[in-house]
Amino acid sequence: GHLRLAAGSEAGSGAWGQYRRDCLNAWPVLPAIGHACNDRAMIKTLTFLGLESSCDDTAAAVVRLVDGRAQILSSVVEGQTVLHAAFGGVVPEIAARAHAEKLDLCVELALDQAGVGLSGIDGVAVTAGPGLIGGVLSGVMCAKAIAAARGLPLIGVNHLAGHALTPRLTDGLTFPYLMLLVSGGHCQFLTVRGADDFSRLGGTIDDAPGEAFDKTAKLLGLGQPGGPLVEVAARKGDPRRFAFPRPLLDRPGCDMSFSGLKTALLRARDGLVAAQGGLTEPDRADLCAGFQAAVAAVLAEKSRRAIEVYLAENPDAPAFAVAGGVAANQAIGAALADLCDRAGLRFLAPPLSLCTDNAAMIAWAGIELFQLGRRDDMTLAARPRWPLDQTAPAMLGSGKKGAKA
């Protein structure tokens, strides 16, 4: 639905109205990095506002740390599916404008749902990258404004770190653990040793699974968002009808590839169209089922290899977590859960609302980084690229903006 400001004074009523009035009266400058500002890191309770705008979901959330346990007080997500539906994918310019229009409304609603005002917030965490630069910039500027107006600590968060730390938000998982981060734009295995300590064991060398799902949906005329629609169609199909490849399973290591799988589906589709003049609904269902089964098989086998590498280094911490939008796929989740059950590992997957992009994970990552002493100031920049493992060689090459992954 649409979010609207409550009627009231010209500045607006409620917590957000008070914030706007405060902005007219004072605009203090944030302290330099490394210095405390309303610093409450040593007390047992921390309440953070989180902002997320890296792709096509505008999100705000309030998360509280109480005696070492996380509480999600509110989590607001405003999607943009309707805005991009006619284009078959996310249009960065449209996404950025929508973020700029909706961020303040999402913040107001998140504060209202949490039952706190900005005076009850101890810090502001915001996705500073990676992502579509216009959307990331919208979030960073909004967070800077709130932090400056209220004299609050500002924490720039890597969007991928938000996903990777979600098991600590939901289940209090201790470090270290193995993470499969699998989403629309990313796919990598990570050993997570700390809130800012990640080691990549492998990843995709081309398309991410979520990207492949979206392209498959487009090829088959299913619409967007592609992942959920492919999954629904696959439930009615026969995964054995089409013998799709399992890329890179014949090579050692944990790296993956999904571009060739997408091409194989395209050729199968074109073969059907040429032979019978079009696609039937059973054809689409079988294509989706075969494609999904191939992705699940690749992820399961590469996960098995990653588990072996991880346990060789961390035999006393047998935990495997999955996060990101593709983690919501039930067939993939079931394959990974079965793998962990056979290997004797604890398997963790977040609830659906925390698989996809959200601001609760950003607020939590901000809390974790705040406790490590991290602070940012007005020089915080939006970053289109920001690998979690800064020491690993780039998987997808580098450009003027740095390593892609």
Side-chain angles (χ1 to χ4, degrees):
H2 295 286
L3 304 178
R4 298 183 181 275
L5 284 171
S9 66
E10 182 177 355
S13 61
W16 191 247
Q18 182 62 48
Y19 157 66
R20 287 177 170 172
R21 288 188 289 274
D22 289 343
C23 289
L24 298 176
N25 298 325
W27 196 261
V29 178
L30 282 175
I33 295 175
H35 292 269
C37 178
N38 286 4
D39 196 332
R40 298 171 62 181
M42 301 306 293
I43 65 175
K44 294 183 178 180
T45 301
L46 283 171
T47 304
F48 262 59
L49 171 67
L51 303 180
E52 157 60 27
S53 57
S54 64
C55 191
D56 61 339
D57 286 318
T58 310
V62 178
V63 174
R64 178 171 291 165
L65 175 69
V66 181
D67 294 329
R69 294 187 177 183
Q71 298 178 357
I72 300 176
L73 302 186
S74 64
S75 182
V76 175
V77 180
E78 183 76 359
Q80 301 177 7
T81 302
V82 174
L83 297 178
H84 304 284
F87 304 98
V90 177
V91 181
E93 292 80 3
I94 294 176
R97 291 176 184 175
H99 288 310
E101 292 174 357
K102 295 180 179 179
L103 270 165
D104 59 343
L105 304 180
C106 288
V107 169
E108 179 187 28
L109 186 56
L111 291 171
D112 288 345
Q113 289 183 358
V116 300
L118 287 171
S119 60
I121 298 296
D122 298 310
V124 182
V126 60
T127 296
L132 301 177
I133 189 62
V136 176
L137 184 61
S138 297
V140 168
M141 295 305 293
C142 182
K144 285 182 178 180
I146 296 172
R150 301 298 301 187
L152 293 170
L154 174 68
I155 313 292
V157 174
N158 186 310
H159 175 81
L160 305 179
H163 281 302
L165 295 172
T166 297
R168 292 177 54 76
L169 167 65
T170 57
D171 295 272
L173 185 61
T174 57
F175 298 121
Y177 54 89
L178 177 63
M179 162 62 64
L180 169 58
L181 200 164
V182 55
S183 65
H186 304 274
C187 184
Q188 52 192 301
F189 292 103
L190 298 162
T191 297
V192 184
R193 299 188 181 90
D196 60 353
D197 186 356
F198 306 92
S199 296
R200 192 184 70 217
L201 304 181
T204 181
I205 62 174
D206 43 54
D207 289 354
E211 183 181 4
F213 268 98
D214 287 342
K215 290 179 178 178
T216 293
K218 189 173 183 179
L219 289 172
L220 298 180
L222 296 178
Q224 297 293 325
L229 294 175
V230 170
E231 182 179 8
V232 170
R235 292 172 187 160
K236 303 176 182 178
D238 179 3
R240 297 165 296 182
R241 178 179 172 188
F242 298 98
F244 289 129
R246 272 59 171 165
L248 296 190
L249 292 192
D250 58 341
R251 302 183 190 179
C254 304
D255 289 342
M256 294 161 282
S257 170
F258 297 98
S259 180
L261 178 57
K262 172 199 65 183
T263 302
L265 181 135
L266 171 62
R267 291 175 176 170
R269 182 207 68 174
D270 289 348
L272 289 172
V273 172
Q276 58 193 36
L279 294 178
T280 66
E281 286 307 307
D283 290 336
R284 288 188 174 88
D286 292 344
L287 287 167
C288 287
F291 169 81
Q292 180 176 267
V295 173
V298 170
L299 289 175
E301 172 57 23
K302 294 295 184 175
S303 294
R304 185 191 65 78
R305 299 179 189 182
I307 288 171
E308 289 183 352
V309 175
Y310 169 79
L311 288 179
E313 300 176 353
N314 306 277
D316 298 325
F320 179 44
V322 60
V326 180
N329 183 287
Q330 293 183 8
I332 292 174
L336 296 177
D338 180 66
L339 171 68
C340 289
D341 184 59
R342 288 184 280 111
L345 270 75
R346 181 185 180 189
F347 177 70
L348 299 99
L352 178 61
S353 62
L354 296 178
C355 285
T356 52
D357 289 351
N358 65 90
M361 68 179 188
I362 302 302
W364 174 253
I367 289 174
E368 294 232 39
L369 292 171
F370 181 83
Q371 292 182 306
L372 293 178
R374 174 80 63 83
R375 308 290 185 276
D376 289 299
D377 59 15
M378 285 299 175
T379 65
L380 177 65
R383 303 173 62 173
R385 301 174 184 172
W386 190 359
L388 274 180
D389 186 349
Q390 300 287 331
T391 64
M395 295 287 299
L396 304 178
S398 298
K400 293 182 179 179
K401 300 297 184 180
K404 295 181 181 179

